[in-house]
Amino acid sequence: MAENDEYVPDFDISRPTIARVYDAILGGKDNFAADREGAAAYMKYVPNAKDVALDNRAGLKKGVEYMARKGIDQFLDIGAGLPTMENTHQIAQAINPDAKVVYVDNDPIVLAHGRALLATNKSTTIVTADLRDPQSILDNEEVQAALDFTRPIGLMVVGLHMHFHDDEQPDEWVRVLMDACPSGSYLLITDFVDTGEPLQKAIEQAGLESLGNGWIRTPERIREHFLGLPLVDDKLEFIPRWFPGEPDREVPAVEDLEPWHKIMMGGIAYKA
Ligand code: SAM
């Protein structure tokens, strides 16, 4: 504890972290010089990097709204990131004021900045834990206290699953979490995609240069992250074309999308 009794997390500001780089790209203030350099690397390769982040946030919103409308009232948001515009609890609680949200992130700065949220929102919990050790998330006392694992849960792995991890284990980590969620639960994922567009390769290059990770994956590989569970509307889609639960909605043609709108895809799976 520091002298003023404030909890000061132990973090290294000389190296960029994805939570803070993402915050810098989105125009937030919770970042340091090294993170702004990381954000600049993204902008160098993908000048519309902020639009990519905004697409991802739009995907998060569409997914949470879909699940909340389906009656999901407890959410486990892994890799939650720093508080930004329209966070998961605000989106869910706009539909169901009693919705509970547990945010998990392995970057301690997220907990530090989330404390203000904790003070004002009794239905929101923030935990520092790592997707790569999923059992530690399930065993966490605060997670156990906040969520009822006998009732359906909306598991969220938005903007981090594959692309910040190599290809060896991520599906098994998510499987451990999904196995703990009962039938009626959902799995929401957004990811960097590889459909052969040069700008997709450019964002991978930016990530590798600034953070040492940020791989792109084919749609077929991203589908595997859903562990064989059926996708809502059978859709894994570029986010501007993705409206879960609205299969007949008119959406822009792929050819009409700007290249940066084709960097991320979203999907939701249902556990019957
Ligand atoms: N989910 C938010 C969104 O989509 O807007 C934030 C995405 S941000 C690009 C990725 C977040 O995942 C960062 O806050 C990072 O610290 C976190 N993260 C990356 N790897 C993680 C891991 N293994 N376990 C938990 N969090 C992780």
Side-chain angles (χ1 to χ4, degrees), residues 153-194:
I153 290 177
L155 178 63
M156 301 168 55
V157 190
V158 176
L160 93 153
H161 181 201
M162 280 302 280
H163 53 255
F164 300 126
H165 301 94
D166 66 25
D167 208 8
E168 283 175 21
Q169 291 279 338
D171 297 338
E172 292 317 307
W173 304 326
V174 175
R175 192 185 304 282
V176 171
L177 296 176
M178 211 53 202
D179 281 352
C181 297
S183 67
S185 296
Y186 288 90
L187 171 60
L188 165 63
I189 294 177
T190 68
D191 252 320
F192 285 161
V193 72
D194 180 4

Side-chain angles (χ1 to χ4, degrees), residues 5 54 70 74 164-165 178 209 227 232 237:
D5 216 25
L54 290 173
K70 287 287 181 186
Q74 24 176 24
F164 300 126
H165 301 94
M178 211 53 202
E209 202 168 283
L227 314 170
V232 170
E237 251 304 352

